[in-house]
Amino acid sequence: PRFLTTKDKFHGLLDSESQGSKREKASESDTVDDSKETSLEEPEPKRLKQNFEGRPDGKRLRGQNKSRPHTKPTAYDEKRLCHSIIQNKECPFGAKCFFDHDIVKYMDSKPPDIGETCHIYETFGKCAYGLSCRFAKAHTTPDFKSMEKADLVKVYEGRTMVKNNMSKELQGRLRKRSVSFEKSEKYLKTLSDNKDKGAQQGNGKTSEKAFIKNAATWLPSGPTKPAPVKTVGPLTDADVIKLRPCEKKQVDFQDKLYLAPLTTCGNLPFRRVCKRFGADITCGEMAMCTNLLQGHQSEWALLRRHESEDVFGIQLEGSFPDTMTRCAELINNNTEVDFVDINSGCPIDLVYNKGGGCGLMTRTRKFERIVKGMNYVLDVPLTVKIRTGVQEKSNIAHKLIPEMKNWGVSMITLHGRSREQRYTKLADWDYITTCAKLASPIPLFGNGDILSYEDAMKAKETGVSGIMIARGALIKPWIFTEIKESRHWDISSSERLDILKDFSNFGLEHWGSDTRGVERTRTFLLEWLSFLCRYIPVGLLERVPQKINERPPYYMGRNYLETLMASQNVEDWIRISEMLLGPVPKNFEFLPKHKANSYK
């Protein structure tokens, strides 16, 4: 109880500390340059503009913030240095080039460096962003030449840290629609043939039976003897290692900790943080199959895989057998993944209204064709993520699971809530227990409300094969360590700041250390902080452990940093980001996806 406080006292402490630090900076600038006149009055802190139009009661809209400002990272760069100048090459556009070629002029107008050391330079021996790097002084000579560490460069030479990048050649073929989908066309032709037969007979049920009977001739079956493989020339290691089309790669899902695919926050730098704390299985963010087939660079970026992710999967969203099957074949031929997951649990209207996400659970015939088609074209296991149902009091997962076993699904993940329920009530683990028995021998993972190792132990008692962790990992990514070591970790504020430093460094590696990369890293860091602020340190709790559905009251931490990290105000999150990534630009704006987390 001694840590509890009021809203006014909580923000009063943070505001007084921040204003004190501003005065210290102002006094330091006075001593450095006496010619500049500085005002002794502190400017008023920035306040978020609250727009409650459209609501008769004037209250805030809860849930996803669809009207939040979207400032492109390019808006923070007034002048950008030409990429050819950074790489010491001749610019192919010459005088018509849109970017700056005058290095001296660019360096004069460039924002000041954030720090004295460049993480990319210290880690890899050279920085690909050269003079545009926001830490350029660490690896730039007085005559604007980039330095290198030959020993580190040699270590990473020829090593691919991030896989599943889309090549320009593949993007061009996707845009021209010249990519071949042989397996998919074979499967879809069977569907159309059976549809025509059904129309002639005038009986849909007979058509479906005929389809299943015909599909049995070419769909992969169990203990059938594979056809002899014709070889030419001597047998090599590549021939032995490479999987034949009739074989499926096996993944051991038993007793694993699975980091859920998280939209926006489940990016590659965050997954690297969770891997350090002991996550066994990671999965990329939900990707729209139509955008992948059209070659969208932003959608393909969701498929990237870091070398530390030893068991990695891709989650696809779609509502039609043709697009999902073609997308699965595209991924199978052009990426390195251990499994592919179908998202049939997404509750948002944009996806559900098109028949995807939870909509597939009520369209079993279409769902079956999607699963069988993807399973036919993939050489890796196919998994499915579902919810208990669509309506709150009408569970249908127990009816689907026995059918999915016959469709060829390798693993099922069940979120213990319905679409209508969202996060308003606790996950139904009793229902997950029932479904786990129905799914046997196929592994079934349970998901929902796990925030401590005690919650995980109770979940394992239900008979599930493993546990998927979503919001729990966002609130405390060290939950994987707690579960594996069966303990409550009273992590200090300085240790939590070190985790944020690691995320920032991973973000600079992934998105770049120039102004665009820094601000993109800051945006994703702030999105994560909107969840991280919900954590209450174990040493402050009267009752252990903290429950995920309990929102923390206003409390004072054991030091200023711990109090700052407990703030649910956007301005305080920005203050934390400035500790790691320097001051924000003048035109910087941010609102998190979830409005409920950003009020004062």
Side-chain angles (χ1 to χ4, degrees):
R2 73 176 188 272
F3 294 107
L4 294 175
T5 185
T6 62
K7 179 179 178 179
D8 295 335
K9 290 182 179 179
F10 178 86
H11 289 292
L13 172 67
L14 295 180
D15 291 342
S16 63
E17 290 283 347
S18 64
Q19 289 177 2
S21 62
K22 287 178 182 177
R23 290 194 184 95
E24 290 178 5
K25 290 180 180 179
S27 61
E28 289 176 4
S29 63
D30 287 340
T31 56
V32 173
D33 189 5
D34 295 332
S35 61
K36 294 183 179 180
E37 296 181 0
T38 56
S39 175
L40 296 177
E41 295 182 359
E42 290 293 332
E44 292 185 3
K46 295 178 181 178
R47 299 295 177 187
L48 294 173
K49 294 180 180 179
Q50 306 295 346
N51 184 10
F52 303 141
E53 295 180 2
R55 289 289 297 268
D57 53 0
K59 290 184 179 179
R60 167 191 303 276
L61 291 168
R62 295 176 64 84
Q64 191 177 34
N65 188 354
K66 296 181 180 179
S67 60
R68 65 188 186 278
H70 288 279
T71 307
K72 293 185 178 181
T74 51
Y76 303 123
D77 265 341
E78 294 181 1
K79 291 185 178 180
R80 288 183 59 194
L81 191 64
C82 180
H83 196 64
S84 300
I85 301 299
I86 297 173
Q87 295 183 335
N88 293 324
K89 296 180 180 178
E90 185 178 352
C91 180
F93 300 99
K96 296 181 180 180
C97 183
F98 180 76
F99 301 107
D100 204 343
H101 284 220
D102 191 337
I103 296 178
V104 177
K105 187 178 178 181
Y106 170 79
M107 295 301 289
D108 291 339
S109 62
K110 179 188 170 186
D113 279 4
I114 297 171
E116 297 180 355
T117 59
C118 176
H119 169 74
I120 298 178
Y121 175 69
E122 295 296 332
T123 304
F124 303 104
K126 66 177 181 180
C127 180
Y129 297 91
L131 296 172
S132 63
C133 175
R134 292 297 300 276
F135 308 86
K137 290 182 180 178
H139 49 76
T140 306
T141 60
D143 56 344
F144 304 123
K145 299 293 183 182
S146 296
M147 297 186 294
E148 292 185 2
K149 294 183 178 180
D151 52 343
L152 285 175
V153 172
K154 189 175 181 180
V155 170
Y156 288 97
E157 188 176 2
R159 182 172 165 183
T160 305
M161 302 290 291
V162 178
K163 302 175 182 178
N164 299 345
N165 291 304
M166 179 177 60
S167 64
K168 290 293 182 183
E169 183 267 338
L170 176 61
Q171 186 179 39
R173 289 195 293 127
L174 286 172
R175 289 177 174 176
K176 295 176 182 178
R177 298 184 180 181
S178 60
V179 178
S180 175
F181 299 101
E182 295 180 2
K183 285 188 175 181
S184 301
E185 296 303 328
K186 182 179 178 181
Y187 173 79
L188 296 172
K189 187 177 184 300
T190 308
L191 287 183
S192 61
D193 291 345
N194 284 284
K195 187 177 180 180
D196 294 338
K197 289 179 182 178
Q200 292 175 2
Q201 295 174 0
N203 189 345
K205 293 183 179 179
T206 308
S207 171
E208 188 67 21
K209 290 179 181 178
F211 159 70
I212 296 172
K213 185 178 180 180
N214 190 21
T217 61
W218 50 267
L219 279 175
S221 56
T224 56
K225 187 176 180 181
V229 180
K230 295 181 180 180
T231 59
V232 179
L235 185 67
T236 63
D237 291 340
D239 296 324
V240 177
I241 296 171
K242 188 176 180 181
L243 292 174
R244 294 191 298 273
C246 60
E247 295 177 332
K248 288 279 185 182
K249 179 180 179 181
Q250 299 299 317
V251 177
D252 182 16
F253 294 107
Q254 197 68 29
D255 294 326
K256 294 290 194 299
L257 294 179
Y258 185 173
L259 173 64
L262 302 162
T263 305
T264 305
C265 292
N267 45 65
L268 186 143
F270 176 76
R271 298 198 302 268
R272 289 182 65 183
V273 170
C274 292
K275 282 298 294 184
R276 283 191 169 188
F277 284 111
D280 297 315
I281 304 173
T282 56
C283 187
E285 302 173 60
M286 179 185 73
M288 304 285 188
C289 66
T290 51
N291 293 343
L292 293 174
L293 289 170
Q294 291 170 5
H296 291 192
Q297 184 66 48
S298 58
E299 208 72 20
W300 274 84
L302 305 178
L303 311 185
R304 290 177 183 169
R305 172 185 189 172
H306 191 262
E307 65 172 8
S308 62
E309 299 179 271
D310 47 355
V311 182
F312 174 77
I314 288 173
Q315 188 180 69
L316 295 179
E317 182 280 323
S319 54
F320 298 101
D322 55 346
T323 53
M324 289 289 279
T325 305
R326 290 190 182 101
C327 189
E329 186 174 0
L330 180 68
I331 287 172
N332 190 71
N333 297 335
N334 297 280
T335 62
E336 293 184 26
V337 295
D338 298 302
F339 64 93
V340 175
D341 185 66
I342 300 176
N343 186 334
S344 52
C346 183
I348 63 174
D349 295 339
L350 178 68
V351 174
Y352 178 78
N353 292 338
K354 294 180 180 179
C358 282
L360 287 176
M361 296 185 67
T362 58
R363 298 171 174 86
T364 52
R365 178 179 291 185
K366 185 178 289 186
F367 197 4
E368 178 184 3
R369 292 175 176 178
I370 289 174
V371 171
K372 287 187 174 180
M374 293 179 68
N375 209 16
Y376 176 65
V377 301
L378 286 172
D379 294 334
V380 294
L382 180 67
T383 65
V384 176
K385 186 176 187 294
I386 60 175
R387 286 178 175 258
T388 59
V390 178
Q391 283 77 26
E392 184 175 349
K393 296 181 180 179
S394 179
N395 294 335
I396 59 174
H398 64 281
K399 299 177 182 178
L400 271 177
I401 288 173
E403 294 186 31
M404 286 193 285
K405 290 167 64 176
N406 299 326
W407 297 346
V409 171
S410 299
M411 192 263 284
I412 302 170
T413 304
L414 177 59
H415 185 181
R417 292 184 178 88
S418 64
R419 176 183 181 265
E420 287 184 352
Q421 190 178 347
R422 297 292 177 96
Y423 298 103
T424 55
K425 294 183 181 179
L426 295 176
D428 190 352
W429 277 93
D430 292 333
Y431 184 68
I432 294 177
T433 304
T434 304
C435 293
K437 295 176 182 177
L438 292 172
S440 182
I442 292 177
L444 184 139
F445 274 54
N447 171 229
D449 298 340
I450 295 175
L451 190 61
S452 66
Y453 86 89
E454 292 181 6
D455 296 333
M457 293 301 106
K458 291 179 182 178
K460 288 181 179 179
E461 292 174 1
T462 62
V464 295
S465 304
I467 300 170
M468 174 182 277
I469 303 176
R471 286 182 303 159
L474 291 173
I475 296 172
K476 45 187 281 191
W478 54 92
I479 186 175
F480 300 101
T481 302
E482 288 188 350
I483 293 173
K484 290 191 172 181
E485 298 180 2
S486 298
R487 67 183 178 97
H488 295 295
W489 185 355
D490 187 12
I491 190 169
S492 65
S493 57
S494 59
E495 288 176 310
R496 290 161 65 191
L497 186 64
D498 288 339
I499 295 172
L500 296 178
K501 285 180 182 176
D502 289 339
F503 176 86
S504 300
N505 289 333
F506 296 156
L508 295 175
E509 288 182 31
H510 187 59
W511 291 300
S513 59
D514 56 349
T515 301
R516 296 175 63 184
V518 168
E519 297 311 319
R520 186 165 290 171
T521 302
R522 190 195 306 276
T523 300
F524 286 105
L525 174 63
L526 293 172
E527 290 284 1
W528 182 24
L529 285 171
S530 70
F531 289 92
L532 207 60
C533 66
R534 300 185 193 178
Y535 171 71
I536 306 176
V538 175
L540 274 61
L541 289 172
E542 186 178 17
R543 170 183 49 79
V544 178
Q546 175 188 356
K547 296 296 182 182
I548 200 168
N549 63 322
E550 296 175 345
R551 287 299 179 93
Y554 287 98
Y555 65 90
M556 295 291 188
R558 290 166 288 191
N559 52 49
Y560 171 72
L561 183 57
E562 196 167 74
T563 306
L564 182 64
M565 288 182 170
S567 174
Q568 296 188 8
N569 181 20
V570 177
E571 297 166 16
D572 295 322
W573 305 340
I574 293 175
R575 199 179 305 170
I576 294 173
S577 77
E578 290 180 328
M579 296 178 184
L580 307 169
L581 299 170
V584 297
K586 294 178 181 179
N587 56 341
F588 182 80
E589 286 184 296
F590 175 77
L591 273 180
K593 268 192 169 183
H594 304 278
K595 283 187 176 180
N597 301 335
S598 59
Y599 62 88
K600 188 170 181 178

